[in-house]
Amino acid sequence: MNSFLIAFGLASIALCIGAFLRAKIPFLRNMLVPASVIAGIIGVIFMNLASYLNVNVGTDAEMYSTVVNHLFTISFISICLTGASNNKDNTAKNIFKGALGMGTVWCLLYTVTPLVGILLIGAIGKGFDMAAIYGSLIPYAFTQGPGQAASFGALYESYGWENAAMVGVTFAAIGFVVAFLVGVPAAKIGISRGVAKNCGKIDESILKGYLRKEEQTNYMVKDTTCNSNIETLTFHFALIGLCYIFAIGISKIMALLPGFLGSSMSGLMFMNGMYAAYIVKFLMKKLKIDFLIEDTLQSKITGWTADYLVVCAFMAVGFNIIGKWIVPILVESVIITIITFVVCFYFGRRFGGSSDFERTLGLYGTCTGTVPSGIALVRIVDPEFKTSTAVELGLMNLVMMLSTPVYIVMLAMASKTISVQMTMLVLAGMTVVYLIVLKLTRCWNKPTYSWKKE
């Protein structure tokens, strides 16, 4: 518990510093860099510097990983408890289509990036004594995140590939940086050109990131409960806690499913949290007590989780750069970033729907960092979560299971069960399969928005 509170406190200090720097530094203002991103960069530097100097700060990267996992679930519970907005695209059909399109593109990148990585490191890695197989670690880092990069890297190490986990986590750290280094300017361009419909105009308040006293005209929330009985905020957090325990029960039921399906579905706590929230909200409507949920407050709680998610996700990354391999690692990271950007921004505007720009940003952030990175970028252009993009980013995890053959064949390659050449052929074949899926599911259409200024 002490480690958790210290982790929360350090993340909070970083957020305060981030908000201050956003308000005072013109570059950060003009780039619309969220305070949570600034805080995350400060936090990851602090945590890794403390680790390097053997300074005990009372918590560690492992605790931040735990916090991220729990906050991730809570954020999707809160999203699903919030009432539907008036956006005509927030229908079950369009939510499903968005999740299907983004999930399939994610699978496409999960297949293309290791293929390119193997070819690239095979070409330039010899001069640095780096085997081509290390290039296949990048999808675990970019499309999945530091946790999976470390886990799959450890599996590679068990097959005899030294320092694979360190290479994977280094890729993940770089992925976090490029997620916002590219995503934030893209969001700003979308706002300035009128593509982002739910953000409003960029005025001085948006630039500096806070409201002066005379600008504070909107009330945050209205009470739905009597404070002498229970605070409205307390009631909303109580609902989230109820859904969380419910989600644990759903996970235990999912674990009874046979084989890989059971272990996978039970492990997706955020998905089970979404199911729990939808059920609780449905029951509240049936009992005619859903008026007790105040949507503005609930969206603020979602925003709270998003801020801390980003900071803690950064601070969960512990890494040591491998000096002799840093050049090929950086070269591969740059090329994969370009490929990811092109793929996301090509297909993102072709899913079909008025929220395709928000989907594009969310997809890019997820395919270079983590889902929290994607949500953070979406929040820049959709601060009140009026679109269903955040929910779709959660649901797309089900579609991601289509990538199962990809990581199975890559692990087979790492264990030397099959050759690198055979692996590349399978990856090329799966790339074609995912492109066909995009066409057959009608998630590959004509562009729904233009970059020309409206």
Side-chain angles (χ1 to χ4, degrees):
M1 178 58 71
N2 187 49
S3 177
F4 165 75
L5 291 175
I6 291 174
F8 177 77
L10 290 175
S12 301
I13 291 171
L15 276 168
C16 291
I17 296 173
F20 176 79
L21 294 178
R22 163 66 183 267
K24 296 299 181 180
I25 299 178
F27 172 76
L28 297 177
R29 289 202 304 267
N30 293 331
M31 289 294 292
L32 296 179
V33 182
S36 58
V37 176
I38 302 169
I41 295 172
I42 293 170
V44 73
I45 293 172
F46 171 77
M47 291 299 294
N48 282 278
L49 186 60
S51 176
Y52 178 76
L53 297 174
N54 293 318
V55 176
N56 183 5
V57 297
T59 190
D60 54 23
E62 186 177 349
M63 173 54 70
Y64 280 110
S65 295
T66 302
V67 172
V68 167
N69 289 334
H70 292 308
L71 277 178
F72 196 32
T73 303
I74 291 172
S75 67
F76 281 101
I77 289 174
S78 184
I79 288 170
C80 296
L81 285 175
T82 308
S85 74
N86 293 324
N87 191 322
K88 62 181 176 62
D89 255 11
N90 289 357
T91 62
K93 180 180 179 181
N94 282 294
I95 290 173
F96 174 76
K97 186 173 184 179
L100 179 60
M102 289 192 292
T104 306
V105 172
W106 183 95
C107 290
L108 178 65
L109 284 167
Y110 194 70
T111 306
V112 170
T113 53
L115 180 60
V116 174
I118 292 170
L119 287 170
L120 187 62
I121 300 302
I124 67 174
K126 292 180 181 179
F128 300 89
D129 195 26
M130 187 178 189
I133 195 172
Y134 287 98
S136 68
L137 288 165
I138 202 160
Y140 306 125
F142 269 45
T143 54
Q144 291 188 307
Q148 288 87 338
S151 297
F152 280 99
L155 280 174
Y156 274 47
E157 289 182 0
S158 70
Y159 299 136
W161 302 101
E162 295 182 359
N163 298 319
M166 191 177 295
V167 173
V169 174
T170 303
F171 276 134
I174 296 171
F176 270 120
V177 174
V178 299
F180 295 102
L181 191 64
V182 177
V184 171
K188 185 178 178 182
I189 291 172
I191 294 171
S192 64
R193 296 187 179 180
V195 178
K197 306 294 184 181
N198 299 293
C199 180
K201 295 181 179 179
I202 302 178
D203 55 21
E204 186 62 26
S205 297
I206 291 177
L207 288 173
K208 64 179 182 283
Y210 68 92
L211 299 173
R212 298 185 185 277
K213 187 174 181 179
E214 60 272 15
E215 297 172 324
Q216 298 170 7
T217 57
N218 294 327
Y219 288 96
M220 178 176 170
V221 65
K222 65 177 182 288
D223 287 332
T224 61
T225 61
C226 295
N227 296 343
S228 59
N229 176 38
I230 182 173
E231 280 284 352
T232 299
L233 181 61
T234 306
F235 177 74
H236 283 69
F237 271 105
L239 280 178
I240 291 174
L242 168 66
C243 292
Y244 197 95
I245 298 300
F246 192 3
I248 293 175
I250 293 175
S251 292
K252 291 185 180 296
I253 294 172
M254 291 292 189
L256 299 176
L257 294 172
F260 175 77
L261 188 61
S263 60
S264 298
M265 296 302 292
S266 64
L268 295 174
M269 262 295 289
F270 70 94
M271 285 295 301
N272 298 328
M274 291 173 66
Y275 300 147
Y278 279 130
I279 293 171
V280 168
K281 191 170 182 180
F282 172 78
L283 292 175
M284 290 182 72
K285 284 184 177 180
K286 286 295 182 181
L287 295 171
K288 297 183 179 180
I289 57 172
D290 56 307
F291 62 86
L292 291 173
I293 299 178
E294 212 289 310
D295 289 336
T296 302
L297 175 57
Q298 198 67 64
S299 67
K300 296 295 183 183
I301 293 174
T302 303
W304 173 82
T305 61
D307 283 331
Y308 275 93
L309 264 173
V310 173
V311 179
C312 294
F314 268 97
M315 297 177 79
V317 177
F319 57 91
N320 294 307
I321 300 297
I322 305 173
K324 65 177 182 178
W325 288 349
I326 188 60
V327 172
I329 286 174
L330 286 175
V331 170
E332 180 175 354
S333 296
V334 169
I335 292 176
I336 295 301
T337 297
I338 294 171
I339 291 173
T340 301
F341 176 84
V342 171
V343 170
C344 289
F345 279 78
Y346 174 82
F347 284 105
R349 59 200 290 252
R350 288 170 167 81
F351 293 140
S354 63
S355 60
D356 273 359
F357 180 65
E358 289 79 4
R359 289 168 173 169
T360 301
L361 285 178
L363 178 63
Y364 173 78
T366 301
C367 290
T368 47
T370 57
V371 172
S373 307
I375 292 176
L377 290 178
V378 171
R379 196 170 174 221
I380 296 174
V381 296
D382 184 16
E384 297 180 7
F385 296 106
K386 291 181 179 179
T387 70
S388 59
T389 306
V391 172
E392 293 168 9
L393 286 172
L395 288 173
M396 71 185 253
N397 281 266
L398 286 176
V399 185
M400 290 176 183
M401 294 179 69
L402 295 174
S403 67
T404 301
V406 177
Y407 74 74
I408 288 177
V409 74
M410 287 200 293
L411 289 178
M413 174 188 63
S415 66
K416 301 176 183 178
T417 303
I418 64 173
S419 67
V420 173
Q421 291 78 10
M422 179 58 69
T423 301
M424 294 172 67
L425 284 174
V426 174
L427 293 177
M430 291 303 298
T431 298
V432 175
V433 169
Y434 294 133
L435 289 172
I436 292 173
V437 170
L438 283 168
K439 267 297 183 184
L440 292 179
T441 56
R442 298 182 180 179
C443 293
W444 187 353
N445 305 293
K446 293 182 179 179
T448 54
Y449 64 86
S450 171
W451 286 105
K452 294 181 181 179
K453 192 168 184 178
E454 295 185 4

